[in-house]
Structures are given as structure tokens and as C-alpha cells.
């Protein structure tokens, strides 16, 4: 019987240096913003109010940075992680320009690394993904690596592990054109804390929690057109459970971080990230942040904080055990740069 369906790629199907153009372009609009804010308790002012954004030097309120990430990421799933066992990490991520309602986004990825795992049943694939708008302008770029099933154990793939930067240098952060926080309204933003109020090493407990529901995470994953089987099909895992999309956890944690980081308005870089343990429906996600670094920018009134954002089912401030491994209650460890008023 002839087949026209896509079974997804297996580890041995990737070739170093291959450029993969992902289907299908997606025009995003105000509906995506409303859905995103309905799914997560997201309320950073630049992404909520045209008037607040205009007072900060932008033409209007752009779409949330992580909404843009989810759309760009979702395009890649059928070609990169449809047969993935796990999404392992991120590096060298930068938001290059805002995404506006009406923009059409598409994605393409370059294979930059391949390494078979010791089991021989899977391999790790590294890709550098770029999100482009309708003018072929890059809006977002990042590296991620995934563990993908092999179709045939006997196939040997040459090993290449990419050399990735530990973090995005502060000098390489791109501040959106026109952004100006000199007239920043702290009352409307929701908190009074400025860039200078945060100290390197400070840990912030974001206090609140959200219990993950099966329907919500599947709605979110469908909205971003992420087709990874483990998020929908209970037969894909031995335990018969749907795995919560890692981006859903990222957005929950980022939204929860508003309480204590309400003025961390825009994410501009993704230094590193790990989905430390699986998340399932019924888990209650909490978040805490650690200030890792501070930097000034050339934009008026705008500073940058490097933050570690941790999503957990446990207590704030706890991350790893004595063995250096993530504690079982830790779900996400994300290292990013955000822009704040000085």
C-alpha cells in the first residue's frame, strides 16, 4: 500500500549541515494574544497595552516574546521532534525584532550536531532554528537539542557535537528599536522595582502556583501547531500519560514571575535551558528566580538582567541534590536576559 503520510524523521535521517524549511507559515494576530493571556496568567504591561507600549517608544504592543517562540518552535516539530523522546536543552537564543499582530511567521533549521546515545536506540540532534517574518527578517533564533528514536540500531552516524556559548554576551543583546523607559509608569506596570533594585545572587520566590490541566496544555500545544505525539497520544509512553509540552511550563513560569519581576518586560535572549523532569496534568507549578548578572544597554532608561527561572513542584531556592542532579520536583531550569527600567 502506498503511503503519503509523514511518519516523522528518525535519528539516522538527519545530515550535518542540512537546512530544513518547515511548513506551514502562520499569520498571527490579536486572537493569539487573547488566547495566550487566557492560557497563562501573563500580564506584563508592554505586551498588554498599546498605550503603555507607545509610552515606551514602540509603535504598539507587540505579541508576547514567548508566544512568538512557541509559534516558531511549533513549525519545527514535524521535522525535528515528532519522534523525539525528550527535548533536552536550549542555547544561543536571541529575540531579534518584535512580532506584531498581522505578521506571518515561518521557520527553518540547520542541523549542527549529531551524537548517538550509549543505548544505541536513540541519538541527539542539535539544530539552529531561525524564525522569519513576511519580509524575510529574522525575528528569533535559538539552538535546541532533542533525543530522537533510531529506526535501525545498526546504522552508525558520525559524531559532531557543536561548541555552544555558555550565555549570550550582554553586548550582543538586541533592544527593540525605539524602546525608551525614561517615562516608565511604575504604577501601571504593577511594581516599583527598578533594574538597580536587584542584586546578583538574589533569589525571588514568586509565591503563586498553577495546577496544570490536561485540556489546557493540549489546547496550548494545538494552538502553536506542535504535533509531537507524546503530548496527545497516551500510547507513546510506557506509563500511558501525556507529557506536558515544555513550552507550556516555560510560559507558566514566566507568567508566575510577574509577582516580583513585573518590570522584567521583554525577554531578549535565551542563554540555556533544561526540562529537568517531566510535567504531567495534576502537577502544581510554582516558580522562583535567581539574579545571575546585570548589564546596562544603550537604550534610554533600559537595563538588562540575566535571570535563572526555575519551575518546580517544590520549594523556592532548591534546585539540585548533593549529587549535582536536579531534584525530582524541579521541572524547568531556564537562563535568560530580560529588559527592565533603570
Amino acid at each position: 500500500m502506498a503511503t503519503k503520510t509523514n511518519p516523522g524523521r528518525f535519528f539516522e535521517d538527519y545530515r550535518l549541515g542540512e537546512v530544513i524549511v518547515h511548513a506551514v507559515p502562520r499569520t498571527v494576530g490579536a486572537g493569539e494574544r487573547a488566547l495566550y493571556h487566557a492560557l497563562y496568567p501573563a500580564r506584563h504591561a508592554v505586551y498588554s497595552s498599546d498605550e503603555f507600549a507607545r509610552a515606551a517608544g514602540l509603535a504598539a504592543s507587540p505579541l508576547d516574546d514567548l508566544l512568538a517562540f512557541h509559534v516558531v518552535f511549533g513549525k519545527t516539530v514535524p521535522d525535528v521532534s515528532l519522534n523525539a523522546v525528550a527535548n533536552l536543552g536550549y542555547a544561543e537564543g536571541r529575540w531579534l525584532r518584535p512580532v506584531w499582530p498581522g505578521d506571518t511567521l515561518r521557520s527553518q533549521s540547520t542541523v549542527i550536531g549529531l551524537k548517538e546515545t550509549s543505548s544505541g536506540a536513540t541519538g541527539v540532534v542539535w539544530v539552529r532554528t531561525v524564525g522569519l517574518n513576511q519580509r524575510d527578517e529574522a525575528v528569533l533564533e535559538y539552538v535546541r537539542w532533542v533525543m530522537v528514536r533510531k529506526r535501525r540500531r545498526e546504522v552508525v552516524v558520525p559524531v559532531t557535537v557543536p561548541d555552544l556559548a555558555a550565555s549570550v554576551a550582554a553586548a550582543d543583546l538586541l533592544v527593540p528599536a525605539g524602546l525608551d523607559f525614561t517615562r516608565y509608569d511604575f504604577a501601571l506596570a504593577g511594581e516599583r522595582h527598578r533594574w538597580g533594585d536587584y542584586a546578583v545572587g538574589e533569589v525571588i520566590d514568586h509565591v503563586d502556583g498553577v495546577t496544570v490541566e490536561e485540556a489546557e496544555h493540549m489546547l496550548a500545544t494545538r494552538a502553536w501547531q506542535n504535533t509531537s505525539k507524546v503530548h496527545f497520544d497516551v500510547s507513546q509512553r510506557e506509563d500511558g500519560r501525556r507529557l506536558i509540552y515544555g513550552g507550556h511550563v516555560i510560559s507558566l513560569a514566566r507568567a508566575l514571575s510577574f509577582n516580583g519581576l513585573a518590570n522584567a518586560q521583554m525577554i531578549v535572549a535565551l542563554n540555556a535551558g533544561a526540562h529537568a523532569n517531566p510535567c504531567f496534568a495534576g502537577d502544581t507549578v510554582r516558580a522562583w528566580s535567581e539574579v545571575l548578572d546585570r548589564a546596562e544597554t544603550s537604550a534610554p532608561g533600559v537595563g538588562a538582567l540575566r535571570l535563572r527561572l526555575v519551575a518546580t513542584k517544590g520549594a523556592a531556592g532548591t534546585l539540585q541534590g548533593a549529587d549535582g542532579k536536579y531534584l525530582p520536583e524541579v521541572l524547568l531550569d531556564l537562563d535568560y536576559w530580560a529588559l527592565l527600567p533603570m
Side-chain angles (χ1 to χ4, degrees):
M1 181 184 295
T3 179
K4 293 183 174 64
T5 56
N6 173 25
R9 292 186 177 210
F10 292 84
F11 176 68
E12 61 267 35
D13 297 330
Y14 295 93
R15 298 292 179 266
L16 193 67
E18 177 185 9
V19 177
I20 306 169
V21 176
H22 306 293
V24 171
R26 171 82 174 265
T27 301
V28 292
E32 269 84 4
R33 186 203 309 278
L35 177 59
Y36 188 87
H37 288 197
L39 287 167
Y40 311 106
R43 49 200 173 116
H44 287 86
V46 165
Y47 295 117
S48 298
S49 165
D50 284 340
E51 295 307 314
F52 192 97
R54 290 187 186 111
L58 301 178
S61 176
L63 295 181
D64 293 68
D65 35 45
L66 288 177
L67 191 163
F69 174 80
H70 292 321
V71 172
V72 170
F73 183 102
K75 306 288 98 190
T76 73
V77 170
D79 300 311
V80 176
S81 49
L82 195 64
N83 291 313
V85 177
N87 190 39
L88 299 177
Y90 309 94
E92 298 184 0
R94 292 193 306 160
W95 278 256
L96 304 173
R97 51 178 43 83
V99 173
W100 307 101
D103 279 352
T104 297
L105 301 182
R106 61 184 180 86
S107 305
Q108 66 182 41
S109 299
T110 303
V111 180
I112 62 171
L114 296 165
K115 182 182 180 182
E116 188 174 304
T117 60
S118 57
S119 71
T122 58
V124 179
V125 180
W126 285 262
V127 296
R128 186 181 301 277
T129 295
V130 179
L132 302 154
N133 64 19
Q134 67 275 17
R135 293 177 293 276
D136 289 334
E137 299 167 333
V139 300
L140 170 67
E141 64 181 6
Y142 62 91
V143 172
R144 74 163 169 138
W145 50 104
V146 296
M147 184 182 296
V148 181
R149 294 180 178 90
K150 289 186 71 175
R151 182 187 288 109
R152 293 174 295 161
R153 284 176 176 257
E154 69 274 13
V155 175
V156 177
V157 176
V159 174
T160 301
V161 177
D163 183 18
L164 300 173
S167 65
V168 176
D172 293 331
L173 301 177
L174 291 182
V175 178
L179 192 67
D180 181 343
F181 282 162
T182 56
R183 295 182 296 144
Y184 192 91
D185 191 322
F186 288 87
L188 290 180
E191 284 181 354
R192 58 180 175 78
H193 311 304
R194 299 173 181 264
W195 175 84
D197 295 330
Y198 294 91
V200 174
E202 179 180 359
V203 173
I204 305 160
D205 180 358
H206 299 302
V207 181
D208 305 308
V210 173
T211 301
V212 178
E213 302 292 345
E214 202 80 85
E216 289 176 355
H217 96 85
M218 287 193 293
L219 176 61
T221 311
R222 289 192 189 101
W224 321 133
Q225 296 178 327
N226 181 333
T227 57
S228 183
K229 300 172 185 177
V230 294
H231 304 317
F232 301 103
D233 184 348
V234 296
S235 71
Q236 293 296 309
R237 290 177 53 90
E238 291 183 0
D239 60 9
R241 306 173 78 184
R242 299 179 185 92
L243 184 68
I244 303 298
Y245 164 46
H248 192 68
V249 178
I250 292 174
S251 282
L252 280 177
R254 161 71 170 159
L256 290 170
S257 74
F258 180 90
N259 193 348
L261 283 167
N263 295 317
Q265 289 290 348
M266 308 184 81
I267 296 178
V268 287
L270 177 58
N271 299 303
H275 296 289
N277 289 289
C279 181
F280 299 103
D283 289 345
T284 297
V285 178
R286 304 185 186 280
W288 57 272
S289 294
E290 179 184 2
V291 180
L292 300 178
D293 199 0
R294 305 192 314 167
E296 298 182 9
T297 79
S298 59
V302 180
L305 284 185
R306 183 179 170 188
L307 298 161
R308 163 177 263 166
L309 174 62
V310 177
T312 181
K313 297 182 288 182
T318 59
L319 186 66
Q320 297 170 328
D323 57 2
K325 296 181 179 179
Y326 287 112
L327 296 171
E329 61 266 28
V330 174
L331 303 172
L332 171 74
D333 183 8
L334 199 73
D335 179 339
Y336 69 100
W337 283 100
L339 302 180
L340 289 83
M342 299 185 74

